[in-house]
Amino acid sequence: MKQYVDVIVPLPIAGQYTYSLPETLADQVGEGCRVVVPFGKKKFYTAIVTKVHRTPPADYTTKDIAEVLDSRPVLLPRQYALWQWMADYCLCTLGDVYKAALPSGMKLESESVVTLNEDFEADGPLPEKEQRILDLLGTDPEQCVTQLEKSSGIRHLLPVIKSLLDKEAIRMKEELKRSYRPRTEACVRLTPPYQTEEALHALFESLHRAPKQLRLLMKYMERSGWSRPDGQVQEVQRQALLEAAGAAPDALNALLKKQVFELYRRETGRLSLREQATVAPHPLGEAQQHALQAILTTFGQKNVCLLHGVTASGKTEIYIHLIEKVLQAGKQVLYLLPEIALTTQITERLRRIFGARLGIYHSKFPDAERVEIWQKQLSDHDFDIILGVRSSIFLPFKRLGLVIVDEEHETTYKQQDPAPRYHARNAAILLASLYGAKTLLGTATPSIESYYNALQGKYGLVELTERYRNIQLPRIELVDIKELARKKLMVAQFSPFLLQQMRQALERKEQVILFQNRRGFAPMIECRTCGWVPRCKNCDVSLTYHKALNQLTCHYCGYTFSIPRSCPACGGVELVNRGFGTEKIEDDIRRIFPEATVARMDLDTTRTRTAYERILTDFESGKTDILIGTQMISKGLDFDRVSVVGILNADSLLNYPDFRAYERAFQLMAQVAGRAGRRDRQGLVVLQTKSPELPLIHQVIGNHYVQMYREQLAERELFRYPPFFRLVYVYLKHRKEEVLDEAAVQMALRLRHGLGERVLGPDRPPVARIQTLYIKKIMVKIELSASLIQVRRYLLDVQRTLVAEERFRSLMVYYDMDPY
Ligand code: ADP
Ligand code: ZN
Ligand code: ZN
């Protein structure tokens, strides 16, 4: 009887597709394995099997799958359960989740572009199809799979491509950045006939007229340990052998030809798995011990625990002790961090204790490394601990016992674009529940939602109110910059008090951190005569001025524009800078403190992983005196010599339209302040603001989290926001503004029909056009008691009927559940 498989394809289309298995592949495929399937017009994709069965679909005839890629599943049942939950909850497709979850190298498809590897030498004749592809690439060394398929006439090309990739005869074009191939090296070994003492003896005799070959053979014996008493033969790498013997490839080729040696390829892992000496963790202080005990007790009754501990209270040390306990029970730990900037420091701390049991997974790693970690987690030698950012929740785990979500309040845990727009904290809690594992949320400034859940008894709550060794929290000094500006006493963005404190700190050889919010207005250019401001031609935003590049750039679509000599509107030649971002501050600081070493950390200076590490290492080792940064520097970094922290403009944190603005401002300022005075003396935070009377400013100064929480909670209840209501943003996009406007009005109207007052809008979002598409937003507020399933079904139904209308055919609709 014919077999069928249901698969997920890596496309944003709803539902799963059924394919049939050809006779030749019967019984060769299981759930969670990857297969190659034809889809649409002659396109091939790597799909994932979710079900093997014998029921043909009622309404279409199936196509055969082209190839099976795995003999063992790469997607485990509980991961698949996470995917299903996510697609459902976030109102996206399983294809969206699949695309986000798997590293690129595991998802080869027709559009993939391959290039010829010029250095490739075949070890022998290649299969005919493979040779044909290489010949085609010989005439044009860079082609996409579809194109090759056409010109070669080969029907199922993906397996051929895969084989060529495995041999390294070709490469994925975006390989360095994205795609996976096992790294292999050529090795040499004796052919079986020569693996006996007698045969070797005879061989030596026969080679005495070929000294080069003889030397090569001798070197091989030495390197392979052939004559060692334990008989253990080591692998001998081709290149290393040639170098050691000082021989040319000729000598080796001669021996290959005589079939004394043969070549083979060995896979070399990229992950550094060296065993390291490890040390025991620090013994915990008394307060820490109590906290750990309380966490363990909580876990006896609840699945989630919130650890609310002030900055530098030693939360990380507590995690380490907890991890030890979980490992002792034979379970695995997933340790989530909000930002890769943090991984360097935490990695070092964890490595010292857990050595090679720790694996790191993050988005700035080459894709190939991510594939290897994925495969390793499926193997019998999986990492016990995974430290990673958001996407590591998708890794396969077999024995998950604990998930730690560090800095749980961080907004970077929320995926914005593209779908799935999930919150990694919430996804982590769900993941843990699938394994019967526990989740620990840690932070000095809990999100309102998590604190609420803790007070409601849904989560356990453990609080640490003092720093480790009772080091004092920093002193916060308020500076009214409105008053100073009026008296013309400000030097650029700096108050005289801040400059004086910085100067003194530098004299004492201590360090300074200056914080400038990225969300504050970015620097731009303006015509002094007519007020003209250059704007992006694709998006509805002004362009940002980058001095180092002498260019204007759009932060949404990357569009760049060179600076005009004169104003295109009025011809005026006086174009001036307005606003100040981190780059401008860096400039000013270099001028004011020419003798200090200054570094800047923001999105523009940290494009690569090494850039992060360099900036942080330089600062840690004291090479840098002043570090200027955006919120990136607020995140749990632990520096020793920082005595002064300057918050340049607290107001810019509050001036954006979002119900979380106050919460965020408090968190950011409290976190940035927490960088000051970590070890031997009290630090100083200079808080510059134009509104010194705001309650929030005083809550920051007094570190009154609970006061801030109560105030915010009251507002949230009054205005019907989380945690009392659930929010869903519905976004609509279209190339034509008129069509979009009409569609948005229609959508809102129809939503109101079923959801009534819960529907607000449509509105123009702050950035109402991105990459040539106009955008409208509808907000839906749903009370917690309402059935989410019904609401979701209703939303999707309305969308379906709307898009079914001819005039709205190319309308794009997507959802942001629990937006951040
Ligand atoms: P948090 O995660 O709460 O910000 P950390 O765990 O980073 O705090 O601790 C702050 C500092 O105190 C770190 O330098 C850490 O090494 C040190 N520390 C914390 N607990 C201990 C301990 N029990 N023994 C020794 N040092 C500790
Ligand atoms: Zn743009
Ligand atoms: Zn002008």
Side-chain angles (χ1 to χ4, degrees):
M1 223 173 127
K2 208 160 174 61
Q3 270 186 322
Y4 296 90
V5 292
D6 292 349
V7 302
I8 308 172
V9 284
L11 294 168
I13 40 179
Q16 300 196 21
Y17 287 79
T18 305
Y19 286 83
S20 37
L21 275 176
E23 214 55 37
T24 49
L25 296 176
D27 297 316
Q28 283 184 29
V29 57
E31 284 159 21
C33 293
R34 289 169 305 155
V35 292
V36 177
V37 298
F39 194 91
K41 282 206 189 100
K42 296 196 181 154
K43 290 229 169 94
F44 285 87
Y45 291 96
T46 303
I48 293 221
V49 175
T50 57
K51 200 169 156 199
V52 184
H53 57 90
R54 302 206 176 262
T55 326
D59 46 355
Y60 60 97
T61 34
T62 53
K63 293 186 197 166
D64 274 352
I65 64 167
E67 183 75 8
V68 177
L69 293 180
D70 300 307
S71 52
R72 292 212 286 157
V74 296
L75 179 71
L76 306 177
R78 278 179 288 207
Q79 290 175 276
Y80 179 44
L82 177 72
W83 289 21
Q84 284 175 307
W85 168 81
M86 191 175 279
D88 235 28
Y89 188 85
C90 300
L91 289 148
C92 63
T93 67
L94 277 168
D96 287 326
V97 182
Y98 169 24
K99 274 169 69 170
L102 253 70
S104 316
M106 294 174 77
K107 304 176 296 205
L108 199 63
E109 56 184 69
S110 292
E111 279 98 304
S112 309
V113 175
V114 295
T115 63
L116 195 61
N117 174 9
E118 309 284 353
D119 302 330
F120 172 72
E121 281 174 52
D123 298 340
L126 289 170
E128 191 275 327
K129 283 182 183 173
E130 295 181 19
Q131 190 57 51
R132 211 183 320 162
I133 296 302
L134 288 190
D135 293 344
L136 283 169
L137 282 168
T139 55
D140 177 3
E142 191 180 300
Q143 301 184 46
C144 80
V145 175
T146 318
Q147 195 178 342
L148 286 168
E149 217 155 27
K150 241 182 248 157
S151 32
S152 68
I154 299 173
R155 237 166 66 79
H156 296 322
L157 193 57
L158 283 189
V160 181
I161 295 289
K162 179 175 178 282
S163 170
L164 284 168
L165 278 171
D166 288 348
K167 294 187 174 114
E168 298 193 47
I170 60 173
R171 299 195 158 137
M172 303 277 294
K173 175 149 184 246
E174 64 280 62
E175 176 176 68
L176 284 180
K177 292 196 306 284
R178 287 183 47 216
S179 189
Y180 173 69
R181 85 203 134 95
R183 188 177 285 177
T184 61
E185 54 194 18
C187 292
V188 179
R189 66 183 164 216
L190 286 171
T191 55
Y194 287 96
Q195 289 181 7
T196 65
E197 289 292 330
E198 303 80 67
L200 275 172
H201 207 77
L203 181 63
F204 274 113
E205 295 284 299
S206 73
L207 283 180
H208 76 273
R209 274 165 208 264
K212 280 184 197 155
Q213 293 176 37
L214 191 59
R215 193 158 72 231
L216 204 64
L217 186 62
M218 305 270 280
K219 270 289 165 207
Y220 172 82
M221 306 304 273
E222 184 187 310
R223 295 226 139 196
S224 67
W226 181 264
S227 45
R228 277 205 335 225
D230 63 5
Q232 281 276 330
V233 182
Q234 306 285 317
E235 291 191 285
V236 178
Q237 206 230 330
R238 175 177 175 270
Q239 199 53 38
L241 176 65
L242 287 175
E243 275 161 26
D250 285 359
L252 180 62
N253 286 342
L255 287 170
L256 287 168
K257 207 160 188 181
K258 288 182 200 160
Q259 298 193 349
V260 172
F261 281 142
E262 61 187 3
L263 284 177
Y264 67 98
R265 300 200 78 86
R266 168 180 80 166
E267 205 172 296
T268 57
R270 278 158 232 263
L271 314 171
S272 63
L273 302 173
R274 283 167 287 120
E275 274 303 330
Q276 286 167 308
T278 54
V279 298
H282 298 293
L284 293 181
E286 202 178 325
Q288 288 172 315
Q289 253 170 32
H290 284 156
L292 177 63
Q293 204 46 55
I295 293 168
L296 292 170
T297 310
T298 301
F299 281 158
Q301 300 140 15
K302 297 195 164 126
N303 289 329
V304 184
C305 179
L306 173 64
L307 172 61
H308 176 206
V310 294
T311 52
S313 53
K315 295 185 289 296
T316 314
E317 293 298 325
I318 296 178
Y319 302 155
I320 290 171
H321 283 255
L322 199 58
I323 293 171
E324 262 204 328
K325 286 203 188 312
V326 176
L327 298 196
Q328 272 162 15
K331 299 274 177 94
Q332 286 172 304
V333 178
L334 170 61
Y335 188 141
L336 290 177
L337 287 170
E339 183 105 19
I340 102 177
L342 277 174
T343 52
T344 318
Q345 283 197 337
I346 304 278
T347 303
E348 272 168 34
R349 284 173 76 175
L350 296 183
R351 268 260 185 273
R352 237 177 295 146
I353 292 158
F354 301 108
R357 305 175 79 175
L358 173 72
I360 322 285
Y361 190 76
H362 70 52
S363 52
K364 292 227 166 133
F365 274 0
D367 193 69
E369 267 173 55
R370 305 210 285 155
V371 175
E372 277 187 38
I373 292 185
W374 192 291
Q375 299 287 9
K376 189 171 158 66
Q377 290 315 87
L378 291 167
S379 74
D380 293 335
H381 335 274
D382 46 357
F383 288 116
D384 290 322
I385 312 165
I386 291 284
L387 178 69
V389 292
R390 186 166 79 211
S391 57
S392 44
I393 57 162
F394 293 116
L395 278 173
F397 290 94
K398 289 185 288 189
R399 309 164 276 122
L400 192 62
L402 172 71
V403 183
I404 296 169
V405 185
D406 196 13
E407 312 289 345
E408 69 85 28
H409 64 280
E410 274 299 335
T411 50
T412 34
Y413 277 126
K414 177 75 192 323
Q415 158 82 12
Q416 302 294 359
D417 268 314
R421 296 175 180 82
Y422 63 99
H423 196 298
R425 181 223 302 138
N426 303 349
I429 291 172
L430 187 105
L431 178 75
S433 74
L434 293 170
Y435 286 83
K438 305 290 175 188
T439 308
L440 180 66
L441 311 176
T443 175
T445 51
S447 63
I448 302 269
E449 282 88 342
S450 293
Y451 204 68
Y452 178 78
N453 280 331
L455 294 188
Q456 292 286 306
K458 195 168 160 195
Y459 303 164
L461 177 62
V462 175
E463 310 215 54
L464 260 176
T465 49
E466 55 194 52
R467 285 184 155 185
Y468 176 66
R469 288 222 190 98
N470 259 322
I471 291 168
Q472 285 174 293
L473 281 163
R475 179 165 63 94
I476 304 185
E477 289 282 343
L478 192 64
V479 177
D480 180 353
I481 51 174
K482 194 163 81 205
E483 186 60 19
L484 289 168
R486 204 175 55 76
K487 295 186 185 148
K488 303 229 180 311
L489 290 173
M490 292 291 282
V491 183
Q493 324 303 332
F494 317 103
S495 59
F497 178 71
L498 174 59
L499 290 179
Q500 180 207 349
Q501 293 300 322
M502 288 175 68
R503 204 159 278 134
Q504 286 174 4
L506 295 177
E507 271 162 19
R508 292 192 304 258
K509 300 272 170 260
E510 291 164 351
Q511 292 171 305
V512 175
I513 288 182
L514 294 180
F515 170 72
Q516 172 59 29
N517 176 37
R518 184 162 54 98
R519 278 180 184 274
F521 38 82
M524 50 191 178
I525 283 203
E526 188 184 51
C527 169
R528 181 161 271 175
T529 320
C530 75
W532 172 81
V533 171
R535 305 182 76 82
C536 177
K537 68 177 170 67
N538 306 319
C539 314
D540 186 18
V541 290
S542 56
L543 296 170
T544 303
Y545 173 53
H546 284 262
K547 190 172 177 212
L549 304 168
N550 198 33
Q551 257 178 355
L552 297 163
T553 311
C554 170
H555 281 182
Y556 286 88
C557 73
Y559 171 73
T560 59
F561 188 75
S562 46
I563 295 171
R565 287 228 181 88
S566 57
C567 168
C570 75
V573 288
E574 238 188 312
L575 298 174
V576 294
N577 289 338
R578 224 178 68 190
F580 63 101
T582 41
E583 196 179 348
K584 172 83 165 63
I585 287 161
E586 183 186 0
D587 242 39
D588 292 338
I589 285 294
R590 283 187 196 280
R591 230 167 348 94
I592 300 169
F593 298 100
E595 71 291 352
T597 328
V598 181
R600 170 164 63 98
M601 185 151 136
D602 55 28
L603 266 185
D604 296 318
T605 61
T606 52
R607 296 261 174 238
T608 63
R609 169 165 52 120
T610 42
Y612 270 103
E613 279 169 17
R614 208 180 44 244
I615 294 171
L616 291 178
T617 318
D618 284 357
F619 194 64
E620 261 184 306
S621 66
K623 263 194 218 152
T624 314
D625 302 314
I626 305 174
L627 180 64
I628 300 160
T630 56
Q631 50 250 59
M632 234 177 236
I633 57 170
S634 74
K635 286 165 200 169
L637 296 169
D638 181 12
F639 302 116
D640 275 351
R641 273 171 287 210
V642 178
S643 66
V644 174
V645 167
I647 297 174
L648 296 181
N649 185 349
D651 310 77
S652 67
L653 293 167
L654 298 168
N655 297 340
Y656 64 98
D658 186 278
F659 70 95
R660 280 190 239 273
Y662 268 63
E663 177 190 350
R664 285 288 294 145
F666 181 91
Q667 286 162 343
L668 270 171
M669 288 193 265
Q671 292 284 350
V672 175
R675 303 310 121 217
R678 306 269 295 190
R679 209 140 284 180
D680 48 359
R681 52 182 290 165
Q682 191 184 22
L684 173 72
V685 179
V686 180
L687 178 54
Q688 302 193 150
T689 175
K690 287 179 197 148
S691 348
E693 69 293 340
L694 276 180
L696 181 82
I697 300 290
H698 296 277
Q699 287 155 4
V700 171
I701 293 174
N703 200 26
H704 298 315
Y705 172 81
V706 176
Q707 205 180 318
M708 184 280 297
Y709 167 79
R710 289 219 185 93
E711 244 181 63
Q712 285 305 303
L713 203 68
E715 279 195 13
R716 302 273 184 98
E717 188 160 24
L718 190 64
F719 298 112
R720 302 159 46 109
Y721 275 105
F724 301 99
F725 283 76
R726 246 179 233 289
L727 287 188
V728 192
Y729 290 167
V730 184
Y731 286 98
L732 298 100
K733 284 190 182 181
H734 201 281
R735 208 163 284 279
K736 292 209 178 106
E737 200 170 10
E738 324 80 73
V739 180
L740 177 71
D741 287 351
E742 177 57 19
V745 167
Q746 280 298 322
M747 179 105 186
L749 204 70
R750 294 176 203 190
L751 286 178
R752 273 202 189 92
H753 190 71
L755 299 170
E757 293 295 285
R758 298 181 186 88
V759 181
L760 298 149
D763 292 312
R764 263 171 73 93
V767 178
R769 187 167 166 241
I770 295 181
Q771 292 176 349
T772 76
L773 291 173
Y774 290 92
I775 309 166
K776 279 269 159 106
K777 181 176 115 184
I778 297 170
M779 177 152 72
V780 183
K781 288 183 180 176
I782 307 158
E783 56 275 37
L784 291 187
S785 56
S787 155
L788 206 52
I789 298 175
Q790 274 178 20
V791 172
R792 281 197 299 251
R793 195 174 304 144
Y794 189 71
L795 288 170
L796 293 174
D797 277 349
V798 170
Q799 174 189 348
R800 214 167 295 133
T801 53
L802 193 71
V803 179
E805 290 180 31
E806 182 58 30
R807 57 185 174 151
F808 299 137
R809 244 196 14 197
S810 49
L811 179 75
M812 284 196 280
V813 182
Y814 63 88
Y815 304 88
D816 193 359
M817 191 75 200
D818 305 337
Y820 255 78

